[in-house]
């Protein structure tokens, strides 16, 4: 019986591998501009994602949802008008002996948190008040307008807080999670190799003073490193001409199952609470351009990031078209094999290379705008005008990429 239970546990873990994520919570004490950040590289079988602006709770908020979630019942990362932001990663080494059928409530719970929470204290109270079992097995990364930033490891009965501002818990000012909890059963879970890769990336960037949104989006969300093999495939193939050069990407931070990225930059003291910068790559991060939005801008989000009903947004469609070029083998386990040349090559015509060249202008224009807007609050019209430029620029970029 013991061996049978162990086998079932292994099968459960592997059955849920496609619902994995790589995440981080970063204290503003250690970022380049002094603002806290939360980052989620999302892995899921729901490859079609989009953004939505909600007014169905106490506070308006922007959330990333599955495109087929017509009513927006579940949110997989977002920020509200009070400066409270949340994301998650699944945990596969908690609730192991729990027989309850009530589970998989993370998306509903994050929506509720965005609807009702203004800060970490209210989020903690939400967890305390939630009926048990909670139906949760996750790490929730959160930040608020007070500069607080923390991870909460949550199971059906309890939660444990890991504070990114506490040097005893986060000596380098950041906390990483993949798909195993430190409060769960040791050596069970998923994402151990991705966790090691993320540790290496963050340590190196922190040592160089480069913990900022651009570094995390371009270098971490599009990482081509393998911690166990000690390989940096990006560095290797930057000098290789375009061709059929396949690698197994299954243990990388960004792999076939990666559906999107969300990174939320909080505010500093004295800045407007509805001005958290929500960066997204809606679609496979290696083929999706990074775009920012703000709750202050209201419901007229960039058109490339939204769609009515159960429709998929334009950016996600374009990113998926390019992703199919990167993973052309569809039979059996062929989905694991990435043709790196589609992303990086010596001709500098790889998809990632061209996207990052285009993003230079986005990061520059966004930085200039944010610096001005934090001094003088923008009107909704100003933000929507910026969204119009993002739409035009994004469509032009993908036209040049052959979409």
């Amino acid at each position: 019986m013991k061996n049978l239970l162990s086998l079932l546990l292994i099968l459960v873990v592997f059955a849920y591998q496609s619902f994995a994520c790589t995440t981080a919570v970063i204290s503003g004490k250690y970022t380049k501009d002094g603002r806290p950040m939360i980052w989620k590289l999302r892995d899921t079988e729901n490859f079609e994602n989009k953004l939505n602006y909600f007014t169905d709770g106490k506070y308006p908020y922007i959330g990333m949802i599955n495109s087929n979630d017509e009513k927006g019942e579940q949110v997989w990362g977002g920020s509200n008008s009070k400066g409270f932001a949340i994301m998650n990663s699944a945990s596969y080494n908690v609730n192991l002996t729990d027989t309850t059928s009530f589970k998989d409530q993370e998306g509903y719970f994050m929506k509720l948190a965005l609807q009702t929470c203004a800060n970490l204290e209210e989020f903690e109270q939400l967890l305390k008040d939630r009926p048990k079992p909670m139906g949760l097995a996750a790490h929730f990364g959160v930040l608020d307008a007070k500069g607080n930033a923390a991870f909460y490891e949550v199971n059906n009965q309890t939660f444990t807080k890991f504070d990114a501002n506490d040097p005893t818990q986060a000596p380098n000012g950041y906390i990483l999670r993949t798909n195993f909890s430190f409060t769960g059963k040791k050596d069970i879970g998923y994402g151990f190799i991705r966790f090691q890769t993320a540790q290496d990336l963050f340590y190196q960037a922190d040592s160089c003073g480069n913990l900022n949104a651009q570094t995390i989006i371009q270098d971490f969300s599009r990482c081509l490193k393998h911690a166990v093999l000690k390989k940096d495939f990006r560095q290797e193939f930057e000098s290789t001409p375009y061709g059929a050069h396949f690698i197994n990407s299954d243990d990388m931070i960004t792999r076939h199952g990666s559906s999107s990225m969300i990174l939320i930059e909080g505010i500093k003291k004295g800045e407007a609470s509805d001005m958290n910068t929500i960066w997204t790559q809606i679609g496979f991060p290696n083929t999706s351009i990074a775009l920012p939005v703000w709750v202050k801008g209201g419901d007229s989000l960039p058109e490339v990031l939204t769609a009515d009903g159960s429709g998929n947004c334009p950016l996600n469609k374009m990113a998926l078209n390019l992703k199919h070029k990167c993973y052309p083998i569809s039979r059996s386990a062929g989905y694991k094999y990435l043709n790196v040349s589609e992303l990086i090559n010596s001709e500098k015509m790889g998809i990632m290379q061209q996207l990052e060249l285009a993003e230079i202008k986005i990061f520059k224009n966004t930085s200039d705008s944010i610096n001005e807007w934090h001094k003088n609050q923008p009107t909704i019209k100003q933000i929507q005008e910026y969204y119009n430029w993002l739409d035009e620029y994004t469509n032009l970029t993908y036209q040049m990429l052959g979409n």
Side-chain angles (χ1 to χ4, degrees):
M1 178 62 71
K2 185 177 180 181
N3 289 337
L4 178 59
L5 288 174
S6 297
L7 176 59
L8 288 173
L9 177 60
I10 291 170
L11 290 174
V12 167
V13 169
F14 279 91
Y16 281 94
Q17 284 182 7
S18 57
F19 298 96
C21 300
T22 305
T23 54
V25 170
I26 308 153
S27 167
K29 298 176 182 179
Y30 292 82
T31 60
K32 209 166 186 178
D33 62 5
R35 297 185 177 94
M37 293 187 288
I38 57 176
W39 169 64
K40 173 179 178 174
L41 195 292
R42 187 185 184 206
D43 288 85
T44 173
E45 289 181 343
N46 293 291
F47 292 141
E48 297 185 353
N49 300 173
K50 61 187 176 186
L51 288 190
N52 200 34
Y53 180 87
F54 294 92
T55 56
D56 55 4
K58 185 177 180 180
Y59 308 114
Y61 59 98
I62 292 172
M64 181 169 66
I65 65 174
N66 294 331
S67 295
N68 62 4
D69 184 2
E70 188 170 353
K71 296 180 180 179
E73 295 179 321
Q74 300 185 72
V75 171
W76 301 103
S79 183
N80 68 21
S81 62
K82 301 301 288 185
F84 175 84
I86 188 169
M87 55 74 184
N88 81 305
S89 62
S91 176
Y92 298 121
N93 64 336
V94 297
N95 300 337
L96 297 180
T97 59
D98 199 320
T99 58
T100 180
S101 60
F102 186 59
K103 58 184 178 180
D104 301 330
Q105 296 299 301
E106 288 79 14
Y108 301 103
F109 180 70
M110 285 192 286
K111 180 182 179 71
L112 178 62
L114 288 166
Q115 288 174 318
T116 61
C117 295
N119 49 51
L120 266 63
E121 291 85 359
E122 293 184 3
F123 178 71
E124 290 175 19
Q125 195 60 50
L126 186 68
L127 283 167
K128 291 174 183 176
D129 293 344
R130 188 172 177 85
K132 311 302 186 289
M134 292 192 277
L136 303 173
H139 321 107
F140 294 103
V142 297
L143 60 77
D144 65 22
K146 300 177 183 178
N148 297 310
F151 258 122
Y152 292 82
E153 292 193 355
V154 183
N155 58 53
N156 270 337
Q157 303 298 329
T158 64
F159 69 88
T160 304
K161 180 181 179 180
F162 295 83
D163 190 345
N165 287 326
D166 184 345
T168 64
Q169 292 187 313
N172 294 314
Y174 55 83
I175 301 171
L176 307 173
R177 290 293 183 269
T178 51
N179 303 110
F180 61 95
S181 293
F182 282 64
T183 53
K185 187 173 178 61
K186 188 178 180 181
D187 296 330
I188 296 293
Y190 191 65
F192 294 97
I193 296 175
R194 285 183 286 113
F195 183 84
Q196 181 59 56
T197 303
Q199 278 189 314
D200 295 345
L201 291 170
F202 271 83
Y203 180 78
Q204 184 177 11
D206 182 43
S207 300
C208 299
N210 286 331
L211 274 179
N212 57 42
Q214 184 171 354
T215 295
I216 293 172
I217 290 169
Q218 293 189 331
D219 296 349
F220 300 1
S221 296
R222 297 191 182 120
C223 177
L224 293 179
K225 291 184 178 181
H226 194 295
V228 173
L229 299 179
K230 305 296 183 186
K231 286 270 195 178
D232 183 345
F233 292 107
R234 176 169 189 151
Q235 187 178 61
E236 180 178 336
F237 285 94
E238 277 181 337
S239 58
T240 303
Y242 177 83
H245 302 294
F246 286 88
I247 62 169
N248 187 327
S249 65
D250 210 36
D251 282 319
M252 293 185 181
I253 286 179
T254 306
R255 57 250 177 86
H256 184 271
S258 300
S259 67
S260 55
M261 183 284 307
I262 185 167
L263 182 148
I264 302 171
E265 290 185 278
I267 58 170
K268 293 192 287 189
K269 186 177 180 180
E271 296 174 345
S273 62
D274 55 2
M275 283 301 294
N276 283 354
T277 302
I278 307 165
W279 287 97
T280 59
Q281 289 167 297
I282 297 295
F284 183 53
N286 286 340
T287 61
S288 181
I289 199 165
L291 300 177
V293 296
W294 300 267
V295 175
K296 173 73 175 180
D299 60 357
S300 295
L301 295 169
E303 291 181 2
V304 294
L305 298 177
T306 64
D308 294 332
S310 59
N312 192 22
C313 72
L315 176 56
N316 191 277
K317 292 177 183 178
M318 293 186 288
L320 283 176
N321 285 340
L322 294 178
K323 177 186 177 181
H324 294 323
K325 294 178 65 177
C326 301
Y327 290 95
I329 306 173
S330 58
R331 61 186 180 276
S332 187
Y335 68 91
K336 297 180 180 181
Y337 292 90
L338 165 71
N339 185 3
V340 188
S341 274
E342 295 290 352
L343 300 175
I344 298 290
N345 53 61
S346 61
E347 294 89 348
K348 300 191 184 303
M349 293 302 293
I351 297 165
M352 274 173 33
Q353 291 166 312
Q354 294 185 70
L355 282 177
E356 288 170 3
L357 190 62
E359 285 170 348
I360 291 173
K361 193 169 185 178
I362 294 175
F363 282 112
K364 173 66 166 60
N365 287 357
T366 301
S367 177
D368 291 345
S369 297
I370 289 174
N371 289 336
E372 176 59 31
W373 291 345
H374 281 313
K375 295 174 187 174
N376 302 293
Q377 286 195 44
T379 63
I380 293 176
K381 183 180 179 182
Q382 285 176 302
I383 295 178
Q384 290 178 348
E385 286 174 349
Y386 192 63
Y387 289 168
N388 291 337
W389 175 77
L390 289 174
D391 279 328
E392 293 173 5
Y393 190 72
T394 298
N395 286 320
L396 179 62
T397 298
Y398 279 89
Q399 285 174 19
M400 291 189 296
L401 285 166
N403 264 260

